[in-house]
Amino acid sequence: MTNPLKIGSVFEVRGTRVKVLVDKEMNHSTFIYLGEIINNITVNGYVIIKKGFIDLVGKIDAEYIDDLLNTDLNQEQDYRYNKGTILRILEVQILGYFENKTFKNGVKHLPMIGNLVYIPGKHEVISIYSGIQTDYSDIDNKMQTISIGNSIYEDIPVRFAINSFFASHIGIFGNTGSGKSNTLAKLYFELFKTVDTKNIINKSSFYLIDFNGEYSHSGVFGLNDDEIKIINFNTSENNNSGNANKLKISKQYFYNEELLSILFSAREQTQKPFIKRLLKRLKYAEEKGWGLHNWLPNLFAKSLLHSSREVFEYIKEIIEYMSFNVQSEEHEEFFEKIRSIQWHTREHYFFINNSTFAHRNI
């Protein structure tokens, strides 16, 4: 590890928050070290705390001074310009540590009082931002990297390893107009510029859902027109431009409990159980066969279990209507049985006409 300049030492540790006493000669804005100009530490900057053979990484949250001579109780003389009366204090939050020259996020080690504090070097800063190893003697031969800009406080180019960066989840957050879209465009522009698109096409595919149409134009990400395919969706019924496309979703993915619950904003305790039952019956219909000829007889049988003449008569009418063109002895026999079932108005139960058998609903 390269620690260019020592700036102070730890004098207080409270959990992951640390206080650092800055050396009196380290109050300049910049330093010249090994022929390079190095910026001094500032709030939101990083520091390296050496604990034996372990290098801890901390972020400066606050900075203030402690006046040794001028107090509220001492009003007789003004010592503000006396040498050695002011101490510069830093409040540091521990973020992680270096292991095998790579920054690891998380509090696995804590500093001790008296540990020395250093300004991080260029390689350490890049590793903190990107997670790349700090040994850059042969970095170009070891891995492909892309650069998206310089760090704000250290003004050091920040590079990311392509394989590890794009293989993980990425989130870009910020207020409106802060540069989220520009950052995303920069990432993929640098990726396609660094890696030959022919190699990417053979191994990877990129799908970009663009709600605002910021990337749906020719030359996006520095790609040629034959290297991209732009799909324009338009759900308007009055769309007559002919430029709208459709994205076909297979039935296997659409009829999914979670997807339908999201589309219909289904509630956990009410609508989601209904969707689950619906999909279960849908699967049953696929296995047993589709059509009203399988569903209506089952529904008709269920209607006999309920003391409701209206439901029974309605289903009976549907069956007769759907079977208008069906001609067979078996079908006629089935209709004779249906017509023989009558409703007892006074006692409220079903019975078979011209028979001694009666079926009463409970």
Side-chain angles (χ1 to χ4, degrees):
M1 302 294 290
T2 58
N3 301 114
L5 294 173
K6 171 181 168 295
I7 60 167
S9 59
V10 176
F11 75 92
E12 182 178 306
V13 179
R14 293 183 182 273
T16 59
R17 298 195 63 84
V18 176
K19 287 187 178 181
V20 176
L21 176 62
V22 180
D23 295 341
K24 297 176 182 178
E25 64 274 11
M26 301 301 292
N27 292 325
H28 303 287
S29 59
T30 58
F31 304 98
I32 298 178
Y33 184 81
L34 298 178
E36 294 184 1
I37 297 178
I38 299 176
N39 293 326
N40 199 357
I41 51 174
T42 59
V43 174
N44 288 326
Y46 296 99
V47 293
I48 301 293
I49 303 176
K50 292 191 70 68
K51 179 184 179 183
F53 296 103
I54 301 173
D55 288 342
L56 307 180
V57 177
K59 186 176 183 180
I60 303 174
D61 288 340
E63 177 181 354
Y64 61 93
I65 61 172
D66 189 7
D67 195 337
L68 297 179
L69 296 181
N70 289 283
T71 64
D72 295 336
L73 299 178
N74 186 3
Q75 302 291 337
E76 297 180 357
Q77 291 182 319
D78 187 353
Y79 295 99
R80 285 178 296 176
Y81 301 102
N82 286 17
K83 183 178 180 179
T85 62
I86 300 297
L87 298 180
R88 184 183 176 196
I89 308 297
L90 305 177
E91 290 189 359
V92 177
Q93 176 70 41
I94 302 299
L95 299 180
Y97 59 96
F98 279 97
E99 184 177 271
N100 297 326
K101 299 180 181 180
T102 303
F103 174 69
K104 302 291 185 180
N105 192 27
V107 183
K108 184 177 180 180
H109 306 279
L110 291 173
M112 300 174 62
I113 293 177
N115 289 160
L116 301 182
V117 183
Y118 295 84
I119 299 176
K122 175 181 177 180
H123 297 165
E124 285 86 354
V125 172
I126 296 177
S127 182
I128 293 171
Y129 280 110
S130 60
I132 301 176
Q133 286 189 359
T134 58
D135 184 4
Y136 282 78
S137 59
D138 196 28
I139 187 67
D140 294 331
N141 296 328
K142 290 182 178 179
M143 65 181 71
Q144 286 184 306
T145 61
I146 60 172
S147 175
I148 63 169
N150 293 359
S151 61
I152 296 177
Y153 300 102
E154 299 85 3
D155 194 27
I156 295 175
V158 177
R159 305 188 67 86
F160 295 102
I162 291 177
N163 290 338
S164 60
F165 182 76
F166 286 97
S168 62
H169 297 284
I170 304 171
I172 303 175
F173 302 95
N175 296 327
T176 303
S178 60
K180 299 185 296 297
S181 300
N182 182 65
T183 301
L184 181 65
K186 175 68 173 177
L187 282 172
Y188 284 100
F189 177 82
E190 291 292 333
L191 172 65
F192 297 132
K193 185 179 72 171
T194 304
V195 182
D196 189 0
T197 53
K198 295 181 180 179
N199 296 330
I200 295 179
I201 292 175
N202 294 332
K203 297 181 180 179
S204 304
S205 298
F206 294 84
Y207 296 90
L208 185 66
I209 302 175
D210 183 11
F211 292 99
N212 299 319
E214 296 177 282
Y215 309 105
S216 56
H217 57 81
S218 178
V220 64
F221 305 139
L223 298 173
N224 300 323
D225 291 342
D226 60 344
E227 295 175 323
I228 59 175
K229 181 180 179 180
I230 299 176
I231 301 176
N232 295 311
F233 297 112
N234 193 329
T235 58
S236 174
E237 296 180 355
N238 300 323
N239 178 49
N240 298 319
S241 62
N243 296 325
N245 304 110
K246 293 182 179 180
L247 180 63
K248 295 182 179 180
I249 303 176
S250 64
K251 183 171 63 176
Q252 175 185 357
Y253 293 104
F254 182 77
Y255 290 115
N256 177 273
E257 179 184 350
E258 294 300 326
L259 177 61
L260 293 178
S261 298
I262 294 174
L263 291 176
F264 294 109
S265 300
R267 296 181 180 178
E268 187 72 28
Q269 302 298 330
T270 53
Q271 287 91 359
K272 286 194 72 173
F274 172 78
I275 293 176
K276 187 175 181 179
R277 291 195 302 270
L278 176 64
L279 295 177
K280 185 178 180 180
R281 293 179 181 178
L282 186 65
K283 183 178 179 181
Y284 175 83
E286 289 179 342
E287 295 175 352
K288 302 298 181 180
W290 287 88
L292 293 173
H293 63 282
N294 289 327
W295 177 69
L296 282 176
N298 182 45
L299 186 63
F300 175 78
K302 289 183 177 181
S303 68
L304 296 175
L305 301 177
H306 302 276
S307 300
S308 175
R309 179 183 180 184
E310 290 79 9
V311 175
F312 172 76
E313 295 294 339
Y314 179 68
I315 295 176
K316 187 163 66 173
E317 289 180 8
I318 293 177
I319 294 177
E320 292 182 3
Y321 176 78
M322 297 297 297
S323 306
F324 180 76
N325 295 324
V326 179
Q327 302 294 333
S328 67
E329 294 183 2
E330 182 181 357
H331 202 71
E332 287 297 328
E333 183 180 353
F334 172 70
F335 268 108
E336 288 298 327
K337 291 181 180 180
I338 291 180
R339 295 189 185 100
S340 66
I341 300 176
Q342 303 293 325
W343 176 259
H344 199 293
T345 306
R346 187 175 60 184
E347 299 295 334
H348 300 290
Y349 62 85
F350 293 109
F351 68 95
I352 300 176
N353 195 18
N354 299 325
S355 174
T356 58
F357 171 79
H359 172 73
R360 179 183 299 273
N361 288 314
I362 299 176

